[in-house]
Amino acid sequence: MTNEQINKKLEEFLVLVEKNYSKSDAELARLAFDFADEAHKGQKRYSGDPYIIHPLATARKLAEMKMDITTVIGGLLHDVPEDTSRTLADIEKEFGSETAHLVSGIVKIGVIKYRGMERYAENLRKMFVAMSQDIRTIFIKFADRLHNLQTLQFRPPHKQKRIATEVLEIYSPIADRLSMGMIKGELEDLAFKYVYPKEYEWLNKILPLKYKAKEKFLKKIQLIVLERLKKENIAVSEMAVFSRAKYLYSLYKKLQRPEIDNNLDKIFDLFALRVIVPTVADCYSVLGIIHNLFQPMPKRIKDYIAQPKPNGYQSLQTTVFDDKGEIIEFQIRTKEMDEKAEYGIAAHWNYKETGGKINPEQLKWINELVKWQEQTNNNEEFINSIKFDIFQNRIFAMTPHGDAIDLPEGATPIDFAYHVHSNLGNKCVGAMVNDQLVSLDHPLESGDVVEIVTNKNRKLPNHDWLEMVKTTMAKNKIRAALNKEKTSERKKLEGKK
Ligand code: MN
């Protein structure tokens, strides 16, 4: 890449910052670019390009995601302290303590390498500590990873596979847990090519053919629906064909399910029509109108607006038949729901009314993991709890009042109780699931209504529960209750002396 090309990229980036942020933010970004450019002077990427193209691409992605300006600046500076002679103190002097703090979080994460369990666990620990201190570190890490994947062809094959596998096993599940669908999809598709090259090629070849075969039909249906909605005075903000082929790896994973058995024709939502309307009420009106136009397929109507998915995803979905029996799926949602599905937790930085703050509930699991890792020296145990808390599929179980509790697959009634309230857990003696009495180690399923049976005389959890529960939060709470009891016993004994 020539200097001229880099200057052009810088210019585009600054224009974007000025558009999405402000003129003074663009000036700050320019200063940060100059600082990073000077610091990385003489360094090269594996491609042979000047190093600065990497921090620039990272920052640009963050600006496209409309992250706050500190995060964008953090993207420009993220490799400075580790790879150059400029230090965190220099960054603090030039750009303030908030930026320096953010960059220090990324330096601490370092590179997660598969060199034995020990090192792997250690790096994961660091990553979650950094995330718990400032969730923006992981956003910078995502953008950093994306550019590294985009330039992965310049690395030797064994490194390509290792880096791409790490993305599929660690980064993309975290993105999913933060409901950042777009980042998850981009990370996965870039990694997919290196981890499963044959499957990637096959899907890439076959999908355009499938689309071509359906294109005419989709356009026809789209016109019918648009015309009808216009008649009913519903303002459609956007209507487009949504293709699952947009995210190849997630399609690939779906194909692996036993009921699909690698048969593309069994995936009904390979292509869907996505309708975006201004209000929630409009969403339900559109659903009614579509069902009036076409016969809905039984059991395929899903109301994720009233009952969002555990990661916060909201939408109405229905699969219908046209008059010739051809199948088509619709996804109906508001603009806000659509943004949340793409940007997830990062979308909250877009909204001025929230003041840039995110709901602490959504991040509670990170703090629980950090608390847990402070207490355990057992790496295997720690990795297992991470696997359960993040990498496991999530389910929703309901309280008798209809509150949804977000849990990992395999969670027990005791996990459920502790997620509702510590006291409910400590006093738990039994559980009813869908009105049936079950044992306390019974694995819950999505949609289960769980009623915890308590005994007010019970004060302490059972020590054996530590082996039974699946979530870090329940483990922390059981341990805390048992420790508290031990301390007060000791004090009593000491008092008697
Ligand atoms: Mn980097």
Side-chain angles (χ1 to χ4, degrees), residues 137-255:
T137 49
I138 196 71
F139 302 152
I140 297 179
K141 209 63 205 162
F142 286 151
D144 171 48
R145 270 293 134 135
L146 272 176
H147 186 249
N148 285 339
L149 286 170
Q150 280 157 358
T151 50
L152 205 55
Q153 73 268 33
F154 302 107
R155 310 293 306 271
H158 70 281
K159 292 239 162 131
Q160 291 174 347
K161 187 133 185 188
R162 199 209 70 212
I163 292 168
T165 305
E166 181 183 292
V167 166
L168 293 184
E169 290 188 352
I170 300 171
Y171 288 96
S172 99
I174 294 175
D176 188 36
R177 192 70 177 84
L178 297 172
S179 57
M180 299 171 75
M182 187 186 277
I183 287 287
K184 171 182 177 274
E186 287 176 14
L187 283 169
E188 284 182 348
D189 284 4
L190 285 165
F192 184 28
K193 189 163 60 177
Y194 293 98
V195 182
Y196 304 102
K198 272 192 206 126
E199 291 83 351
Y200 176 84
E201 211 174 296
W202 170 68
L203 275 177
N204 241 337
K205 216 182 275 165
I206 198 162
L207 281 168
L209 299 176
K210 290 266 169 201
Y211 180 69
K212 229 178 166 149
K214 268 232 161 187
E215 197 178 7
K216 242 187 176 166
F217 166 72
L218 288 164
K219 293 244 160 86
K220 187 188 86 190
I221 298 289
Q222 197 172 351
L223 275 180
I224 295 174
V225 174
L226 272 176
E227 203 168 296
R228 183 64 178 269
L229 292 178
K230 204 175 162 193
K231 245 186 229 159
E232 307 274 351
N233 279 323
I234 291 181
V236 176
S237 318
E238 210 180 310
M239 181 158 170
V241 175
F242 167 79
S243 160
R244 270 205 170 264
K246 189 176 160 202
Y247 296 134
L248 281 189
Y249 183 67
S250 100
L251 175 63
Y252 169 71
K253 270 199 306 195
K254 194 164 182 173
L255 278 167

Side-chain angles (χ1 to χ4, degrees), residues 51 54 78-79 144:
Y51 197 85
H54 169 66
H78 80 272
D79 280 328
D144 171 48

Side-chain angles (χ1 to χ4, degrees), residues 423-438:
N423 250 334
L424 192 66
N426 290 341
K427 294 191 185 309
C428 165
V429 290
M432 307 271 285
V433 170
N434 308 325
D435 292 329
Q436 301 277 324
L437 204 59
V438 299

Side-chain angles (χ1 to χ4, degrees), residues 280 283 305 314-315 333-341:
V280 171
C283 292
I305 292 181
Q314 286 189 301
S315 194
R333 51 176 80 160
T334 65
K335 184 84 199 149
E336 198 188 343
M337 291 170 197
D338 195 50
E339 270 183 13
K340 225 166 93 186

